[in-house]
């Protein structure tokens, strides 16, 4: 019998098949060769069931029914992909062994485990554990397949994480929503992230700016001119500041101290996903999600970078040879000049800024693969360019500077000068033209502490400490202290990554140093979730909290469950989950603790006074309904209240823009309602009875017409339509993803 290989996505499955079964027969949902049958999941084929799967009473949100604590969690197929799940089951009957070829990480392990559990697959399992999809890595991975049982503890940790998130998210969201009569989404990761943004915004709003005065003087010594900043207590008296400037202007002075030292700046760390997202946000204004999508395309579709969902900035010893080969490959590309000047000897196993196995968990840093980049889209090229230049920089020596510090005294007043003289650019020749030459340490930019501002020069600099100087000019400038800056997606990602640094518990702080809030793969989705539920909004690049977001944090904190808004809970969880994955802690005990915490949330919310409706923005609940986001801890499906709110938003806005004339029967099984046209969508007349079916008129830039609606309901998909993504044009169908909710998705012709 053959071996069934289950990849995480279609592109990945086809890429693997091209290596291990190049002559495989191509069927629509699998490929079959002499030894292997290769098929795939399509992301999560299964997820945790919603509460109403345990009892019909949970269809209506009622505080009296809380907490919901399933003895055994049920998993349910995604309706959109149930045919693929069935295909896997049928193929497995013809195979005597399985290979788990899902992504090499906790979530990939979980996807395979759910399939195995649902289909009751009992065949022995091998694990493919690779970090890129090049032919060389796939071939090597299959030659060195690992035993599936090696990863049993990782599976336990993955399922514990999912079920714990469900317990807290489902129960807390229902508790706060039913208590305060407004849809409030609560989750282990999203709520502390919202708290970060809320606290920053409160700091900005309560900031009291202080006016102060800075004195800058210009000095001349023979042909050398330089400037210095006055040293002393911060001046808040305008007259005193002006008096000092007047006192020194035109007067002779002397250099009391002159220090020169050589300094070096080494290349920035190799990219992990979060660092890549931060740079792409700063340089191109890309959201975290957009950068992740672009990086995923470079990995899966173009196969020009290694696995992007990594949290490591380092590589293992076995990656060094591949890095040298990638350098050679780049010599035949547009990066030829930079690659040819690179020095392979600088990248070796002893270089701890590159090779540090102790800091590599599931995956190493993001690297270019040995495949040359072909026709990349403009945005894909921008992300690829960041990765390649960061990679190449490690084959160059450090940038070298002379650091000059001059202390000049005039009329008993002291001035300090910092000059950074460039000697050699080193690795900085790899930076693109718009990169600051002194970016790595923040030097060369305007500093918050103006006293330590320094001048970056490329010409030789020197003064004679024994020769006199003259103060040619001096001026007192009015300044004002600045509030903290509002978060951008880039700076928020950094805050999420380092969220545990302020924790008092040293052990938790150490865990959070490695984990942060969320994972590199989920942080983008968390930010998108906060937007969709109406907690945050974007003002250009700046993130601001809505009134609903403010109230949510205040209610949670005032209920006495501050832990929900703190990184501490994630720190505690990640510590235990890591121990579970290593076989050092029991899954059962962790889940018991989560259940106790869930019960305590319900009890504290029960005694909380109901919030006044005025504390929420008018129409905010409807806005949250329109978001079509994932419910916190719901395994990726909207809650029944969210569905109901969406249907209400579609049908309740019909005044003057739609028709109450029934267009079709509601496809939701057992509903009996009719679909009518509203201002923004087609919703069910039974939304008051809990039906959440709605199809929105605007989808991916297309307007859903009556004819398209009819086709979607009858055939489940539209005909091929033309779409644009930046400069790229492509054809796809709009597919009715879920006939119970009306959720749509695009089905690309090449997927």
């Amino acid at each position: 019998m053959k071996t069934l290989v289950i990849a995480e996505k279609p592109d990945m499955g086809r890429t693997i098949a091209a290596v291990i079964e190049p002559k495989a027969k191509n069927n629509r949902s699998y490929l079959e060769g002499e030894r292997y049958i290769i098929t795939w999941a399509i992301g999560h084929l299964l997820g945790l069931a919603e509460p109403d799967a345990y009892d019909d009473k949970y269809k209506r949100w009622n505080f009296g029914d809380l907490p919901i604590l399933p003895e055994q969690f049920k998993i349910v197929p995604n309706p959109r992909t149930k045919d693929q799940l069935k295909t896997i089951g049928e193929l497995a009957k013809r195979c005597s062994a399985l290979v788990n070829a899902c992504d090499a990480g906790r979530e990939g392990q979980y996807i395979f485990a759910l399939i195995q559990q649902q289909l009751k697959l009992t065949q022995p399992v091998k694990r493919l554990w690779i970090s890129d999809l090049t032919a060389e890595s796939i071939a090597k991975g299959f030659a060195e397949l690992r035993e599936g049982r090696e990863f049993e503890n990782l599976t336990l940790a993955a399922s514990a994480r999912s079920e714990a998130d469900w317990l807290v998210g489902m129960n807390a969201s229902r508790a706060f929503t039913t208590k305060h009569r407004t849809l409030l989404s609560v989750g282990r990761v999203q709520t502390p992230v919202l708290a970060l943004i809320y606290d920053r915004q409160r700091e900005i709003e309560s900031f009291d700016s202080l006016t102060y005065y800075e004195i800058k003087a210009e000095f001349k010594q023979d042909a050398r001119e330089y400037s210095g900043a006055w040293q002393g207590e911060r001046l808040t008296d305008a007259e005193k500041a002006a008096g000092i400037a007047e006192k020194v202007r035109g007067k002779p002075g002397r250099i009391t101290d002159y220090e020169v030292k050589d300094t070096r700046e080494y290349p920035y760390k190799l990219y992990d996903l979060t660092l890549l997202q931060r740079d792409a946000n700063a340089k191109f204004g890309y959201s975290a999600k957009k950068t992740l999508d672009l990086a995923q395309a470079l990995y899966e579709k173009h196969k020009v970078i290694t696995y992007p969902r990594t949290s490591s900035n380092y590589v293992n010893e076995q990656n060094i040879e591949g890095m040298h080969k990638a350098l050679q490959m780049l010599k035949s590309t547009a990066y030829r000049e930079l690659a040819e000047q690179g020095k392979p000897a600088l990248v070796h196993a002893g270089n701890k800024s590159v090779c540090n196995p102790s800091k590599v968990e599931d995956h190493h840093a993001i690297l270019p693969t040995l495949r040359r980049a072909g026709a990349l889209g403009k945005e894909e090229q921008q992300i690829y360019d960041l990765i390649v230049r960061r990679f190449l920089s490690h084959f160059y020596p450090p940038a070298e500077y002379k650091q000059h510090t001059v202390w000049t005294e005039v009329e008993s007043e002291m001035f300090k000068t910092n000059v950074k003289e460039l000697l050699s650019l080193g690795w900085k020749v790899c930076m693109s033209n718009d990169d600051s030459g002194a970016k790595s340490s923040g030097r060369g930019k305007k500093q918050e502490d103006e006293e330590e501002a320094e001048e970056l020069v490329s010409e030789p600099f020197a003064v004679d400490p024994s020769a006199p100087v003259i103060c040619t000019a001096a001026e007192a400038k009015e300044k004002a202290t600045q509030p903290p800056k509002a978060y951008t997606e880039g700076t928020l990602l950094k805050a999420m990554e380092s969220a545990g640094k302020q924790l008092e518990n040293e052990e938790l702080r150490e865990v959070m140093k490695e984990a942060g809030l969320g994972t590199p793969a989920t942080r983008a989705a968390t930010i998108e979730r906060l937007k969709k539920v109406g907690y945050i909004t974007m003002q250009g690049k700046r993130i601001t909290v809505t009134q609903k977001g403010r109230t949510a944090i205040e209610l949670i904190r005032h209920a006495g469950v501050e832990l929900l808004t703190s990184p501490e809970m994630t720190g505690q969880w990640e510590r235990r989950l890591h121990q579970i994955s290593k076989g050092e802690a029991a899954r059962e005990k962790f889940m018991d603790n989560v259940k106790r915490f869930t019960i305590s949330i319900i009890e504290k919310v029960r005694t909380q006074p109901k919030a006044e409706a005025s504390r929420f923005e008018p129409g905010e609940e409807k806005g949250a309904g329109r978001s079509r986001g994932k419910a916190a801890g719901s395994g990726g499906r909207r809650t029944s209240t969210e569905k109901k709110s969406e249907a209400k938003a579609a049908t309740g806005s019909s005044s003057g823009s739609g028709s109450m004339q029934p267009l079709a029967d509601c496809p939701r099984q057992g509903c009996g309602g009719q679909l009518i046209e509203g201002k923004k969508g087609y919703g069910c007349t039974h939304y008051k009875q809990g039906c959440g079916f709605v199809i929105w008129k605007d989808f991916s830039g297309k307007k859903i017409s009556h004819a398209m609606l009819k086709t979607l309901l009858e055939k489940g998909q539209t005909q091929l339509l033309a779409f644009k993504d930046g400069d790229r044009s492509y054809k796809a169908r709009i597919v009715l993803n879920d006939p119970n909710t009306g959720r749509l998705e695009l089905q690309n012709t090449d997927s």
Side-chain angles (χ1 to χ4, degrees):
M1 295 178 79
K2 298 179 181 181
T3 296
L4 180 64
V5 178
I6 302 175
E8 189 161 320
K9 293 180 181 175
D11 279 350
M12 191 181 299
R14 295 187 184 104
T15 301
I16 290 171
V19 176
I20 63 172
E21 288 285 8
K23 296 181 180 179
K25 181 182 177 183
N26 190 352
N27 296 281
R28 188 179 64 84
S29 53
Y30 66 96
L31 296 101
E32 185 165 357
E34 292 182 6
R35 291 181 59 200
Y36 296 103
I37 300 175
I38 302 95
T39 189
W40 42 80
I42 307 172
H44 283 270
L45 298 182
L46 296 139
L48 298 181
E50 289 203 33
D52 56 23
Y54 300 93
D55 194 318
D56 278 347
K57 70 180 181 181
Y58 295 135
K59 287 181 179 178
R60 290 187 175 276
W61 288 24
N62 187 330
F63 197 102
D65 292 331
L66 301 177
I68 305 169
L69 304 170
E71 284 296 320
Q72 187 76 33
F73 278 87
K74 297 181 180 181
I75 57 173
V76 292
N78 182 330
R80 181 182 65 84
T81 54
K82 62 180 185 297
D83 289 344
Q84 183 64 16
L85 184 65
K86 182 180 178 183
T87 295
I88 294 173
E90 291 170 350
L91 294 173
K93 293 174 184 175
R94 300 200 280 122
C95 296
S96 59
L98 306 174
V99 173
N100 175 3
C102 294
D103 280 354
R106 192 163 71 185
E107 282 309 297
Q109 194 67 21
Y110 189 48
I111 287 170
F112 180 86
L114 290 182
I115 293 170
Q116 194 178 21
Q117 177 184 334
Q118 178 75 1
L119 299 177
K120 298 179 173 61
L121 305 181
T122 57
Q123 297 93 326
V125 177
K126 298 280 189 181
R127 184 60 158 112
L128 177 69
W129 195 268
I130 56 177
S131 288
D132 65 66
L133 291 174
T134 57
E136 295 86 350
S137 291
I138 293 169
K140 189 171 186 288
F142 269 87
E144 301 171 356
L145 286 172
R146 297 166 68 175
E147 291 295 331
R149 61 176 174 270
E150 288 182 44
F151 300 89
E152 287 176 2
N153 288 326
L154 184 62
T155 303
L156 290 175
S159 64
R161 195 279 310 158
S162 181
E163 291 172 12
D165 274 340
W166 190 101
L167 287 171
V168 171
M170 280 293 184
N171 282 284
S173 294
R174 287 187 175 219
F176 281 102
T177 294
T178 53
K179 183 70 177 184
H180 303 292
R181 302 295 181 185
T182 298
L183 185 61
L184 295 173
S185 179
V186 182
R188 170 182 62 98
V189 175
Q190 72 169 47
T191 302
V193 173
L194 177 61
L196 285 175
I197 304 167
Y198 170 90
D199 290 339
R200 174 64 59 86
Q201 194 157 318
R202 287 295 302 272
E203 279 185 69
I204 294 169
E205 291 167 353
S206 62
F207 183 80
D208 190 8
S209 182
L210 172 70
T211 299
Y212 68 98
Y213 298 87
E214 180 186 81
I215 304 168
K216 284 288 182 70
E218 300 294 329
F219 302 105
K220 187 171 184 180
Q221 184 187 71
D222 298 327
R224 167 64 59 202
E225 294 181 347
Y226 64 98
S227 60
W230 180 79
Q231 302 297 292
E233 295 293 325
R234 176 172 277 173
L235 293 169
T236 56
D237 185 323
E239 287 188 14
K240 185 175 180 181
I244 293 174
E246 179 66 28
K247 176 183 175 184
V248 300
R249 192 180 299 121
K251 300 294 175 59
R254 66 188 184 95
I255 295 174
T256 61
D257 193 20
Y258 177 38
E259 180 183 327
V260 183
K261 63 179 180 180
D262 292 324
T263 62
R264 291 182 167 192
E265 287 184 15
Y266 291 86
Y268 309 147
K269 290 186 292 187
L270 291 166
Y271 278 125
D272 61 9
L273 177 59
T274 302
L275 204 51
L276 180 64
Q277 288 169 318
R278 285 167 49 193
D279 266 11
N281 180 256
K283 294 176 190 290
F284 313 122
Y286 292 165
S287 69
K289 181 181 184 301
K290 182 168 186 173
T291 300
L292 174 57
D293 290 345
L294 290 169
Q296 200 67 22
L298 291 171
Y299 167 66
E300 280 186 16
K301 181 180 177 182
H302 301 288
K303 302 170 184 65
V304 294
I305 66 169
T306 58
Y307 185 72
R309 296 169 184 248
T310 175
S311 59
S312 177
N313 305 104
Y314 302 92
V315 301
N316 290 310
E317 292 176 2
Q318 55 265 39
N319 302 124
I320 298 297
E321 183 183 352
M323 290 180 73
H324 288 172
K325 288 180 178 178
L327 178 69
Q328 284 298 118
M329 178 276 294
L330 290 168
K331 290 179 180 179
S332 59
T333 70
Y335 299 96
R336 182 188 63 175
E337 188 175 341
L338 287 175
E340 286 179 343
Q341 293 176 23
K343 296 177 172 57
L346 293 175
V347 174
H348 55 84
N351 182 349
K352 292 302 179 186
S353 65
V354 174
C355 183
N356 194 337
S358 67
K359 294 189 176 182
V360 179
E361 285 277 338
D362 296 337
H363 299 283
H364 57 69
I366 304 172
L367 304 171
T369 65
L370 302 184
R371 175 173 289 201
R372 291 175 183 81
L376 301 181
K378 178 185 175 184
E379 294 171 339
E380 292 171 334
Q381 178 61 45
Q382 288 174 323
I383 300 301
Y384 183 65
D385 185 67
L386 289 178
I387 294 166
V388 169
R389 289 179 182 276
R390 182 65 60 98
F391 167 80
L392 286 171
S393 70
H394 286 272
F395 291 91
Y396 281 76
E400 296 182 355
Y401 301 89
K402 274 191 185 299
Q403 191 80 38
H404 302 264
T405 305
V406 185
W407 294 84
T408 307
E409 184 183 40
V410 183
E411 296 292 310
S412 301
E413 303 293 346
M414 193 64 73
F415 294 82
K416 185 180 181 183
T417 301
N418 291 309
V419 173
K420 186 176 179 183
E421 177 191 345
L422 175 65
L423 301 178
S424 170
L425 271 175
W427 62 273
K428 291 191 176 183
V429 300
C430 298
M431 297 296 97
S432 57
N433 293 333
D434 60 346
D435 280 327
S436 164
K439 181 184 172 188
S440 64
S441 63
R443 295 172 182 159
K445 292 184 173 182
K446 183 176 181 181
Q447 304 287 299
E448 284 189 23
D449 184 351
E450 294 289 346
E451 292 178 341
E452 292 303 316
E454 67 182 4
E455 183 183 1
L456 179 63
V457 299
S458 55
E459 299 295 324
F461 178 90
V463 294
D464 181 353
S466 62
V469 300
I470 185 77
C471 178
T472 58
E475 183 182 4
K477 292 184 178 180
E478 183 178 304
K479 299 279 184 176
T481 54
Q482 298 298 310
K485 291 183 178 178
Y487 281 119
T488 64
E489 287 204 27
T491 57
L492 180 60
L493 285 168
K494 182 179 181 181
M496 292 169 73
E497 188 177 43
S498 59
K501 285 186 177 178
Q502 307 307 317
L503 294 177
E504 292 182 8
N505 183 303
E506 187 175 343
E507 188 180 355
L508 291 184
R509 192 165 62 242
E510 191 63 28
V511 172
M512 290 292 285
K513 187 189 297 182
E514 302 300 325
L517 283 171
T519 67
T522 61
R523 285 176 189 139
T526 298
I527 296 172
E528 293 301 310
R529 170 70 184 160
L530 291 173
K531 294 176 188 175
K532 287 177 180 177
V533 298
Y535 284 161
I536 64 172
T537 186
M538 302 299 296
Q539 295 182 350
K541 279 190 178 183
R542 294 187 302 117
I543 301 172
T544 59
V545 182
T546 64
Q547 182 59 40
K548 181 179 181 181
R550 289 172 183 266
T551 304
I553 290 297
E554 289 163 2
L555 289 174
I556 293 167
R557 284 177 170 167
H558 293 160
V561 284
E562 294 90 343
L563 195 59
L564 275 174
T565 67
S566 165
E568 184 176 343
M569 186 169 78
T570 284
Q572 292 172 345
W573 283 26
E574 285 299 336
R575 176 179 59 181
R576 284 285 176 257
L577 291 171
H578 183 72
Q579 290 171 342
I580 292 168
S581 72
K582 299 296 183 186
E584 299 166 359
R587 180 189 188 281
E588 294 73 20
K589 185 175 180 182
F590 169 75
M591 292 305 299
D592 284 344
N593 289 335
V594 172
K595 288 177 182 178
R596 279 198 292 272
F597 177 62
T598 301
I599 293 168
S600 75
I601 293 172
I602 304 304
E603 293 309 310
K604 288 180 178 179
V605 176
R606 190 186 307 277
T607 59
Q608 185 178 36
K610 179 180 176 297
E612 294 293 329
S614 59
R615 294 185 64 184
F616 302 95
E617 285 184 343
E620 192 71 307
E621 182 175 350
K622 187 184 291 186
R626 286 199 299 271
S627 68
R628 293 177 293 170
K630 295 181 180 180
S634 67
R637 291 167 303 284
R638 288 167 292 153
T639 63
S640 47
T641 292
E642 285 179 307
K643 294 171 186 173
K644 181 177 174 181
S645 298
E646 291 183 3
K648 181 179 179 182
T651 58
S653 305
S654 60
S655 174
S657 301
S659 167
M660 297 301 288
Q661 183 70 30
L663 300 174
D665 292 336
C666 177
R668 185 167 170 265
Q669 192 170 6
C671 172
Q674 302 278 306
L675 296 189
I676 58 174
E677 182 181 2
K679 183 178 180 181
K680 296 182 180 293
Y682 305 100
C684 179
T685 54
H686 281 189
Y687 72 84
K688 289 184 179 178
Q689 286 89 341
C691 180
F693 185 92
V694 56
I695 289 179
W696 299 95
K697 290 182 179 178
D698 289 325
F699 181 77
S700 291
K702 297 292 183 186
K703 293 281 187 185
I704 306 297
S705 64
H706 287 195
M708 290 168 73
L709 174 70
K710 183 179 179 183
T711 304
L712 283 166
L713 295 173
E714 291 178 354
K715 300 181 179 179
Q717 61 183 27
T718 66
Q719 61 185 4
L720 278 175
L721 303 169
F723 292 86
K724 288 203 75 173
D725 180 9
D727 297 332
R728 183 174 74 95
S729 297
Y730 63 97
K731 290 193 172 182
R733 301 178 194 275
I734 299 175
V735 177
L736 181 57
N737 175 294
D738 186 351
N740 288 315
T741 65
R743 189 168 59 199
L744 305 178
E745 79 157 17
L746 278 185
Q747 188 178 81
N748 206 319
T749 53
D750 59 5
S751 65

